[in-house]
Amino acid sequence: MKVICAGIPKTGTKTMAQALRMLGYNVHDVFEQFIYDRKLWYKVLDNTATKEDYIETLSDVDAVTDFPACSLWEQILDAFPDAKVILMVRSSEDEWYKSIKYHFKHMSNMNQGVLMYPVLNLLLGPLHREFLKYMASFIPACLGSVYTWGAETEALLRTRYRQHNMYVETACPKENLLVFNAKEGWGPLCKFLGVDIPSQPFPRENVKTEIVDKVASGQYDYDCGYRNTVLKQTVLRIVIALALVTALISYFVHSW
């Protein structure tokens, strides 16, 4: 483990993940952590995770970003004390809140209808449901709130943003820490990491929560097969459902 990205969601986590990939790092972002590392995170939820578990799971990973890692940056640093910590921040708290609010609203719009939501979750299969459960466990740890918004939630979100950033800046050894805004580009990042500045422009990812649509349409390169697995499980459920309906119709027709 070389780099621990401690910025909470909507602080440029996807931009940072792509920047580190361009620098040659093996990055575990949200889907890599869910697909490859979730045994460790479930141990965290069971209060059974040890330093050795962190070392065993993450020793071959160069960098982590987004959740759950951002909420457990201190435990990861304890396991890998030579790692560098990058705290990503936005230009202002207002800018961050506007971004996270838009993200929540976009996610809500994709799951419109109180009755349709559980039906879709059942239809989409076990991996999708496990990911929802996984998010429900770790998003509150990162944001101090679940996927909703309003006056009360705004206060919680804003407070969490301040608390998290202040704690990282206070608790992390200064020599290990870079406070970084993606608008600063390659310069401070590469200087901190001790690497050369690439010839390519600094990336800008997940503008207007576009990753949500990319994952849904199969256009996201780093979902670790999540979308294809969910699609296969969905097709299987549809086939089974159609077979059951056909069998029931045939039974009643012959019974009459």
Side-chain angles (χ1 to χ4, degrees):
M1 178 61 58
K2 300 174 183 176
V3 181
I4 304 165
C5 297
I8 60 177
K10 305 311 296 179
T11 58
T13 56
K14 296 298 168 287
T15 293
M16 179 57 69
Q18 187 60 21
L20 291 172
R21 292 185 187 112
M22 292 169 67
L23 292 173
Y25 290 87
N26 170 28
V27 180
H28 277 202
D29 193 26
V30 170
F31 284 107
E32 288 90 352
Q33 291 181 66
F34 173 62
I35 298 297
Y36 305 130
D37 308 329
R38 67 181 184 268
K39 181 179 177 181
L40 168 63
W41 309 129
Y42 287 152
K43 284 188 174 183
V44 170
L45 295 177
D46 289 338
N47 290 314
T48 59
T50 65
K51 181 187 292 190
E52 288 69 30
D53 290 322
Y54 282 91
I55 294 172
E56 179 183 354
T57 303
L58 300 176
S59 59
D60 293 330
V61 180
D62 293 332
V64 286
T65 185
D66 215 316
F67 77 92
C70 65
S71 61
L72 295 158
W73 69 271
E74 206 167 6
Q75 287 80 2
I76 301 172
L77 183 60
D78 183 52
F80 301 96
D82 294 329
K84 295 180 180 293
V85 178
I86 302 175
L87 174 63
M88 297 92 72
V89 296
R90 299 296 289 262
S91 298
S92 69
E93 181 184 307
D94 288 341
E95 182 181 274
W96 176 80
Y97 175 69
K98 181 180 179 181
S99 180
I100 197 73
K101 180 179 179 180
Y102 182 88
H103 179 82
F104 287 169
K105 187 171 183 179
H106 186 63
M107 291 289 291
S108 178
N109 289 342
M110 291 187 70
N111 295 289
Q112 283 187 359
V114 175
L115 294 177
M116 284 302 298
Y117 186 71
V119 173
L120 285 173
N121 288 342
L122 179 63
L123 184 64
L124 290 174
L127 186 66
H128 175 72
R129 291 198 300 275
E130 185 177 0
F131 188 60
L132 291 180
K133 180 180 178 181
Y134 180 81
M135 286 196 298
S137 299
F138 286 107
I139 288 295
C142 295
L143 299 177
S145 180
V146 294
Y147 271 22
T148 182
W149 64 92
E152 296 81 10
T153 304
E154 177 177 352
L156 290 173
L157 288 168
R158 288 180 177 273
T159 298
R160 180 59 179 161
Y161 179 77
R162 294 186 214 119
Q163 289 175 338
H164 179 83
N165 293 348
M166 289 175 64
Y167 182 74
V168 175
E169 291 191 56
T170 301
C172 184
K174 299 302 181 186
E175 63 272 16
N176 291 69
L177 179 65
L178 172 69
V179 180
F180 180 74
N181 186 322
K183 294 178 182 178
E184 298 176 83
W186 288 121
L189 177 63
C190 291
K191 180 180 179 181
F192 179 66
L193 297 177
V195 299
D196 294 332
I197 295 177
S199 57
Q200 305 99 310
F202 193 78
R204 187 169 180 242
E205 301 290 325
N206 202 24
V207 179
K208 292 292 184 180
T209 314
E210 64 187 4
I211 185 178
V212 175
D213 301 312
K214 284 185 175 182
V215 171
S217 61
Q219 298 177 5
Y220 186 59
D221 295 331
Y222 303 102
D223 76 346
C224 304
Y226 172 83
R227 189 255 187 187
N228 286 340
T229 300
V230 171
L231 184 61
K232 289 176 183 177
Q233 292 177 349
T234 302
V235 171
L236 178 61
R237 272 160 174 68
I238 291 174
V239 170
I240 292 173
L242 289 175
L244 288 173
V245 170
T246 302
L248 286 172
I249 292 174
S250 176
Y251 172 79
F252 285 115
V253 167
H254 288 90
S255 296
W256 292 340

